[in-house]
Amino acid sequence: MTIRYDGKVAIVTGAGQGLGRSHAIELAKRGAKVVINDLGGSKDGTGGSSEAAQSVVAEIEAMGGEAIANGANVANYDEVEAMVKQTMDKWGRVDILVNNAGILRDKSFAKGSLEDFKLVLDVHLMGTVNCTKACWDIMREQAYGRIVVTTSSSGLYGNFGQSNYGSAKMAVIGLMNTLAQEGAKYDIKINALAPTAGTRMTEGLIPEKAFDLLTPETVTPAVLFLVSEDAPTRTILGAGAGSFAVAKIVETAGMWLKPEDQTPEGIAANWDSISSPEGEKVLNAGFEQTVRMLALASEGLGIKLD
Ligand code: NAI
């Protein structure tokens, strides 16, 4: 069955080019009305122009789709609120939010400034928080919402020179984990995309042949799946060059140590068992960790907990 978005309203941030542009165009092709948000700045977040967003609107209109341009800086809550108001005035609802806007300020941790660190957090983390917050009550009232946050392998696994960016990209996973729980009752699903694509962000970092394979269009199906009616929730979906994979945070089965071994030396002596991947599991909520720890302890102590 073809997945479509007829009657749905989507906001895609940073949609003037690169991945966001591709997501927005495909959503529009499949029936969504789309807000093309873009500040139009350079890769490091300086400058700004409304041209990029407007040209994507023109592309969508030329295909017979519906779109409007918006130049809000996602890091500025007042501008984000105005963007959501513009959307509500025009179309009366927000079904889909794709948090995609982003910048880079790469430097080793030793050389990087705290100003750059805060700016990157502001755009990626607070930009995602601002847009999500401005849509949250609308989605709750509609009892429908599909939200994507854009993470990165840099956040999930680390990347030299990207401590600021990696921190921000992992932070949005934390946001997702809690909002998936808080939104469940209102049919709000929230997922994370971990893309790898040839865009101006990665130009010069990837060999040309690989760059040509890593088109934004090969990533977009992942986003479209994650914002569809039957989407999963709280999933991290990696995508690039037409390949797709799910990333998971797991906890090992772990073990309880006897009181006399509850020391750093005891942990060192049992490290192989504590860190063994055998029996590792994805936990669905923070409290599950406490339950598991207590279960191991009560078993070890031979006591029953209610
Ligand atoms: P891009 O630089 O081509 O596009 C990002 C867009 O966001 C630009 O059009 C820019 O004007 C806009 N933007 C930046 N700051 C903004 C702000 N404060 N408010 C509104 N718009 C703003 O980058 P690309 O590669 O398309 O990246 C899209 C997203 O995917 C980003 O969040 C990026 O961190 C993420 N990502 C990209 C990867 C890649 O391989 N290209 C890898 C992992 C994550």
Side-chain angles (χ1 to χ4, degrees):
M1 204 191 68
T2 310
I3 294 180
R4 291 195 54 91
Y5 308 89
D6 302 292
K8 300 269 195 292
V9 175
I11 296 176
V12 183
T13 69
Q17 63 187 311
L19 286 163
R21 171 183 168 275
S22 170
H23 305 335
I25 288 176
E26 196 56 32
L27 280 166
K29 269 190 197 160
R30 289 169 180 256
K33 301 182 178 80
V34 189
V35 178
I36 309 296
N37 159 265
D38 207 295
L39 175 72
S42 61
K43 189 165 75 177
D44 68 3
T46 48
S49 123
S50 59
E51 258 169 56
Q54 271 155 8
S55 87
V56 176
V57 170
E59 260 185 273
I60 290 174
E61 285 175 346
M63 292 170 351
E66 278 188 74
I68 53 174
N70 173 275
N73 173 356
V74 294
N76 179 319
Y77 190 68
D78 291 343
E79 293 181 23
V80 168
E81 261 196 321
M83 169 178 77
V84 174
K85 184 174 182 307
Q86 181 193 3
T87 314
M88 291 301 282
D89 289 348
K90 175 87 177 162
W91 291 316
R93 49 190 298 124
V94 183
D95 302 282
I96 294 168
L97 169 66
V98 180
N99 289 295
N100 165 82
I103 59 165
L104 288 180
R105 289 281 168 108
D106 291 359
K107 278 230 165 85
S108 68
F109 192 60
K111 291 194 183 130
S113 69
L114 288 178
E115 286 70 33
D116 278 356
F117 208 108
K118 284 179 186 156
L119 179 73
V120 169
L121 280 176
D122 228 25
V123 172
H124 288 277
L125 172 59
M126 290 316 296
T128 300
V129 171
N130 289 339
C131 295
T132 305
K133 178 78 177 160
C135 294
W136 193 249
D137 283 348
I138 296 168
M139 289 180 171
R140 276 168 46 120
E141 272 157 33
Q142 287 169 182
Y144 188 85
R146 297 289 179 266
I147 300 170
V148 162
V149 302
T150 304
T151 183
S152 165
S153 56
S154 278
L156 298 172
Y157 312 119
N159 207 14
F160 196 98
Q162 294 196 318
S163 56
N164 52 21
Y165 180 76
S167 301
K169 288 308 205 185
M170 199 56 188
V172 297
I173 298 293
L175 177 71
M176 171 189 83
N177 284 337
T178 287
L179 294 190
Q181 294 174 26
E182 294 184 9
K185 185 162 117 185
Y186 306 98
D187 194 11
I188 300 174
K189 294 182 175 173
I190 173 160
N191 294 289
L193 172 77
T196 171
T199 66
R200 71 172 182 174
M201 225 183 227
T202 48
E203 217 169 359
L205 302 175
I206 302 175
E208 204 181 309
K209 242 186 170 170
F211 196 87
D212 291 346
L213 273 184
L214 290 163
T215 63
E217 289 71 24
T218 61
V219 171
T220 290
V223 170
L224 268 77
F225 170 68
L226 294 177
V227 300
S228 64
E229 289 202 0
D230 296 328
T233 195
R234 204 171 171 264
T235 300
I236 306 169
L237 182 55
S243 305
F244 304 90
V246 170
K248 295 179 180 181
I249 298 171
V250 297
E251 190 162 301
T252 64
M255 69 182 293
W256 179 76
L257 299 178
K258 293 199 177 92
E260 60 272 26
D261 292 330
Q262 292 173 12
T263 58
E265 296 78 12
I267 293 175
N270 289 286
W271 187 245
D272 284 352
S273 304
I274 292 170
S275 62
S276 164
E278 200 178 319
E280 64 191 10
K281 232 180 115 182
V282 174
L283 306 189
N284 293 313
F287 196 67
E288 277 185 30
Q289 186 200 44
T290 312
V291 171
R292 291 175 102 225
M293 297 280 163
L294 285 171
L296 289 171
S298 59
E299 194 192 327
L301 291 163
I303 56 170
K304 263 205 146 127
L305 294 172
D306 301 329

